Amino acid sequence: FMQRGLDSQTKKQLEEEEKKIISEEHWYLDLPDLKEKESFIIEERSFMPCEDLLYGRMSFKGFNPEVEKLMIQMNSGCKEEEIEVDDKMEADVSDEEMARRQVIFYVIINIRYETLVGTIGKKFLRKRDQSVLQDEDEDGNNNTRPSKKAKKKFLKPQD
Amino acid sequence: RGRGCGAEGGCGAPVWPDSFVHRLQYVPVRGDHIIGIVTAKAGDVFKVDVGGSEQASLSYLAFEGATKRNRPNVQVGDLIYGRFLIANKDMEPELVCIDSSGRSSGMGLIGQDGFLFKVSLGLIRKLLAPKCEIIQELSQLYPFELVLGMNGRIWVKAKTVQQTLIIVNILEACEYMTAEQRKQALARLSG
């Protein structure tokens, strides 16, 4: 819907508006720092947390056993105990799990280390074996040498 | 007339205006447990009188185990123990009979028989305090069941009508009786 003639004008207007908005935002960024004062007064409409009131349903001398069970649940802070038990359970499990995980971790590392040592060690052994073999050949028979050299060099056909 | 609000001081100790002790008119507060009387069934919603300036709505689905097919058996005139889900000055108060996890936890229909009466809001606070002497002394008398609503309503049920009315009278009189007078009255009853 934008006409060609108005493009540049509207773009300039939009840019100016954006600049205004940005500059206003800059202002707003400065102001909240001053306004953020934590108030020490908390307004609470219900009396429940103020006085730790009990649960409203009560039963005495076994008149209503379900309500008496409810009373124990809601009033004796069982929720807090359950939360503590859960935390302890989680802590125990996490400790055990951590120990297991550490053991498994070390075992895996050892296995990998051994395999690494094995593969690298074999390479070294081969080279050493080769050099040891070559030394032994040099000290030992020379017959094998020309044959090896003969095998390596091009054999001229004998007349 | 003020609203039920308490302000916490700087050291974290709650402070509340003491003029609310003798108050009778209840103002719905979110989270409060109250006793309501069902006054009407309007489609999927019950209208409940909670003693406030307007009636509260209670959806039939707001009961434990309620579905569209399995509706709770609530009739006009029944007593409900529920809590406020919505309670502010801009909207109609809304009650539910389940807690945040969907369990009833003691809320719902209050059974047949028993006696409902009204006391001041300050007495309810006193009775619901952790170590209330009145409740402790009454519990020694005979077996009974008690429901206390934060809207000033108390429901009592004992084995006989006479026992029920005795408890009702003691609770009503606790508004103005001193501790000694109460103990004398209870001594006469048990003696």
Side-chain angles (χ1 to χ4, degrees):
Chain A
F1 66 95
M2 284 170 72
Q3 299 177 10
R4 289 183 190 178
L6 293 170
D7 276 341
S8 55
Q9 288 180 12
T10 49
K11 278 185 187 173
K12 283 178 188 174
Q13 284 177 4
L14 284 170
E15 285 176 6
E16 286 174 2
E17 284 174 2
E18 281 175 3
K19 283 181 188 173
K20 281 180 193 174
I21 292 165
I22 290 165
S23 61
E24 283 173 4
E25 281 179 286
H26 283 310
W27 282 113
Y28 281 128
L29 284 171
D30 291 335
L31 283 174
D33 292 336
L34 298 171
K35 283 181 185 176
E36 277 176 18
K37 279 181 190 174
E38 288 186 15
S39 61
F40 292 110
I41 300 174
I42 303 167
E43 191 184 319
E44 176 68 50
R45 295 184 126 234
S46 162
F47 279 113
M48 296 283 283
C50 288
E51 294 182 1
D52 285 333
L53 297 179
L54 298 177
Y55 188 60
R57 285 198 90 149
M58 302 180 189
S59 161
F60 302 104
K61 296 204 172 184
F63 195 80
N64 191 336
E66 292 175 3
V67 173
E68 299 204 354
K69 278 186 211 170
L70 264 176
M71 280 173 73
I72 298 167
Q73 257 183 31
M74 310 287 263
N75 290 336
S76 61
C78 275
K79 289 177 186 175
E80 291 179 355
E81 290 174 7
E82 282 174 5
I83 290 167
E84 288 176 5
V85 169
D86 285 338
D87 285 336
K88 283 178 187 173
M89 290 295 290
E90 286 171 3
D92 290 338
V93 167
S94 71
D95 284 342
E96 288 177 4
E97 278 190 16
M98 286 295 290
R100 282 179 202 165
R101 283 175 195 169
Q102 282 180 357
V103 166
I104 293 166
F105 185 65
Y106 285 132
V107 165
I108 291 169
I109 284 177
N110 284 331
I111 291 168
R112 289 188 182 167
Y113 183 68
E114 284 172 5
T115 53
L116 278 173
V117 166
T119 52
I120 291 170
K122 281 179 191 172
K123 285 183 189 174
F124 283 126
L125 283 171
R126 283 176 194 159
K127 285 183 182 176
R128 279 178 191 168
D129 281 337
Q130 288 174 5
S131 61
V132 164
L133 284 169
Q134 284 177 4
D135 288 331
E136 286 176 355
D137 288 333
E138 286 178 2
D139 291 332
N141 297 323
N142 290 325
N143 294 325
T144 54
R145 245 186 125 191
S147 64
K148 278 187 184 177
K149 279 191 177 180
K151 283 179 185 176
K152 286 179 185 177
K153 284 185 181 178
F154 176 71
L155 281 171
K156 285 184 181 178
Q158 290 179 351
D159 293 333
Chain B
R1 183 185 298 174
R3 296 186 186 206
C5 98
E8 274 196 70
C11 50
V15 169
W16 53 87
D18 217 18
S19 60
F20 301 117
V21 172
H22 302 290
R23 209 153 52 106
L24 287 165
Q25 175 74 341
Y26 176 68
V27 172
V29 172
R30 184 185 140 91
D32 263 5
H33 292 264
I34 51 92
I35 299 176
I37 307 172
V38 178
T39 57
K41 255 188 193 178
D44 293 341
V45 148
F46 301 112
K47 286 288 172 200
V48 179
D49 166 48
V50 297
S53 54
E54 60 178 321
Q55 302 207 335
S57 70
L58 170 62
S59 164
Y60 73 93
L61 288 171
F63 291 84
E64 183 177 12
T67 60
K68 287 188 181 174
R69 292 186 184 177
N70 180 23
R71 294 180 179 223
N73 186 17
V74 173
Q75 306 302 324
V76 172
D78 282 351
L79 292 177
I80 298 277
Y81 187 63
R83 66 179 181 100
F84 280 110
L85 189 68
I86 297 175
N88 52 43
K89 62 181 172 73
D90 302 317
M91 294 168 61
E92 181 193 34
E94 189 175 322
L95 285 173
V96 289
C97 290
I98 48 172
D99 61 13
S100 47
S101 62
R103 287 176 291 176
S104 67
S105 65
M107 291 185 276
L109 261 182
I110 296 176
Q112 297 294 314
D113 307 325
F115 192 91
L116 179 76
F117 61 104
K118 204 162 185 317
V119 293
S120 75
L121 306 186
L123 180 62
I124 297 285
R125 270 173 49 204
K126 222 200 299 186
L127 291 170
L128 283 174
K131 287 183 184 176
C132 176
E133 289 183 356
I134 308 169
I135 299 280
Q136 284 175 353
E137 288 166 15
L138 277 176
S139 63
Q140 305 298 320
L141 272 181
Y142 19 70
F144 69 97
E145 193 187 344
L146 185 65
V147 181
L148 296 158
M150 295 294 290
N151 54 344
R153 290 183 182 163
I154 303 180
W155 180 84
V156 179
K157 181 176 172 183
K159 282 185 183 167
T160 68
V161 174
Q162 197 184 19
Q163 289 179 354
T164 309
L165 288 174
I166 288 170
I167 298 170
V168 166
N169 285 326
I170 292 176
L171 285 171
E172 278 181 331
C174 280
E175 299 243 28
Y176 54 83
M177 272 206 298
T178 64
E180 286 178 10
Q181 289 170 335
R182 189 182 68 234
K183 283 172 190 173
Q184 283 175 14
L186 284 167
R188 266 182 267 157
L189 282 167
S190 52

